[in-house]
Amino acid sequence: GENVEQHPSTLSVQEGDSAVIKCTYSDSASNYFPWYKQELGKGPQLIIDIRSNVGEKKDQRIAVTLNKTAKHFSLHITETQPEDSAVYFCAASGPSNSGYALNFGKGTSLLVTP
Amino acid sequence: DTGVSQDPRHKITKRGQNVTFRCDPISEHNRLYWYRQTLGQGPEFLTYFQNEAQLEKSRLLSDRFSAERPKGSFSTLEIQRTEQGDSAMYLCASSLIQGHPNTEAFFGQGTRLTVV
């Protein structure tokens, strides 16, 4: 089945700096790659996603890039703010997954210090 | 619409007891998923429904677990004879499948189960 690996597991940046989280996947049939933000005690919140027919997508301070050949994708957060502090999960999905369910990475705990 | 709603938010139960969780998806979302999340891990797929039909179960879902989605609306997840290893956050997600099978999934706040 699909295996998603995520790095780093923890990331600490100063307010205003950029943060980059990287993920790799194993199933070349995967074609949908969302990113979720999870705050303590809450459910995951979709922040951005990308499909395999696109190489890059941007939404204000957040961008995601996808390299299908290398089977990796990354989340970029610019001008980080303390409220960006949370656990971020990457995920992959495709026809190999039951009902196109998501395979998640283990998460990155991001801390933005003022 | 207020999004995916789960109830209860927290549940503490004694080992051996049965528990039931409820999920109300975003209205008109025809696909509903259950995931389990343990501390320090990403959510793991348990099962999913297309309308009222349960189409797939993960091998993580033992015989003590059962899920239903009567009338294709809300869903329930029941765990019988709970064990300490069942302690986790149980998450529900829903999505609207129209044509393209792969669309955004929206999660609820989860039910945190503690088995003592």
Side-chain angles (χ1 to χ4, degrees), chain A residues 59-80:
Chain A
D59 183 4
Q60 299 183 338
R61 298 186 296 110
I62 295 173
V64 57
T65 58
L66 171 65
N67 183 326
K68 284 173 53 181
T69 304
K71 289 191 278 192
H72 66 71
F73 55 113
S74 301
L75 178 71
H76 304 253
I77 306 174
T78 58
E79 300 171 25
T80 54

Side-chain angles (χ1 to χ4, degrees), chain A residues 21-54:
Chain A
I21 303 170
K22 299 183 179 182
C23 288
T24 60
Y25 61 98
S26 60
D27 185 355
S28 56
S30 291
N31 56 14
Y32 177 64
F33 307 92
W35 286 87
Y36 286 85
K37 175 183 180 182
Q38 188 172 30
E39 296 175 333
L40 199 61
K42 296 186 177 181
Q45 177 191 4
L46 179 68
I47 55 171
I48 195 167
D49 58 9
I50 192 168
R51 299 186 185 281
S52 58
N53 57 347
V54 175

Side-chain angles (χ1 to χ4, degrees), chain B residues 13-21 36 61-66 77-87 90 113-116:
Chain B
T13 190
K14 290 184 178 179
R15 187 162 48 96
Q17 296 294 303
N18 299 345
V19 293
T20 300
F21 312 140
R36 181 171 68 187
L61 213 64
S62 77
D63 292 343
R64 297 183 296 105
F65 288 69
S66 63
L77 178 68
E78 181 183 17
I79 309 175
Q80 295 183 326
R81 305 181 303 281
T82 52
E83 302 173 355
Q84 286 189 320
D86 297 331
S87 295
Y90 290 85
L113 172 67
T114 302
V115 181
V116 297

Side-chain angles (χ1 to χ4, degrees), chain B residues 35-111:
Chain B
Y35 290 81
R36 181 171 68 187
Q37 185 178 25
T38 53
L39 203 60
Q41 302 294 318
E44 295 176 292
F45 167 75
L46 292 179
T47 188
Y48 87 99
F49 292 82
Q50 179 73 28
N51 299 312
E52 68 277 6
Q54 186 175 16
L55 297 184
E56 193 77 27
K57 298 181 192 179
S58 161
R59 63 182 182 279
L60 294 176
L61 213 64
S62 77
D63 292 343
R64 297 183 296 105
F65 288 69
S66 63
E68 294 182 343
R69 192 184 182 196
K71 301 178 184 178
S73 55
F74 70 93
S75 177
T76 58
L77 178 68
E78 181 183 17
I79 309 175
Q80 295 183 326
R81 305 181 303 281
T82 52
E83 302 173 355
Q84 286 189 320
D86 297 331
S87 295
M89 172 85 89
Y90 290 85
L91 292 162
C92 175
S94 71
S95 61
L96 178 62
I97 306 299
Q98 285 180 322
H100 199 292
N102 218 343
T103 62
E104 299 89 340
F106 297 92
F107 282 81
Q109 299 282 47
T111 294

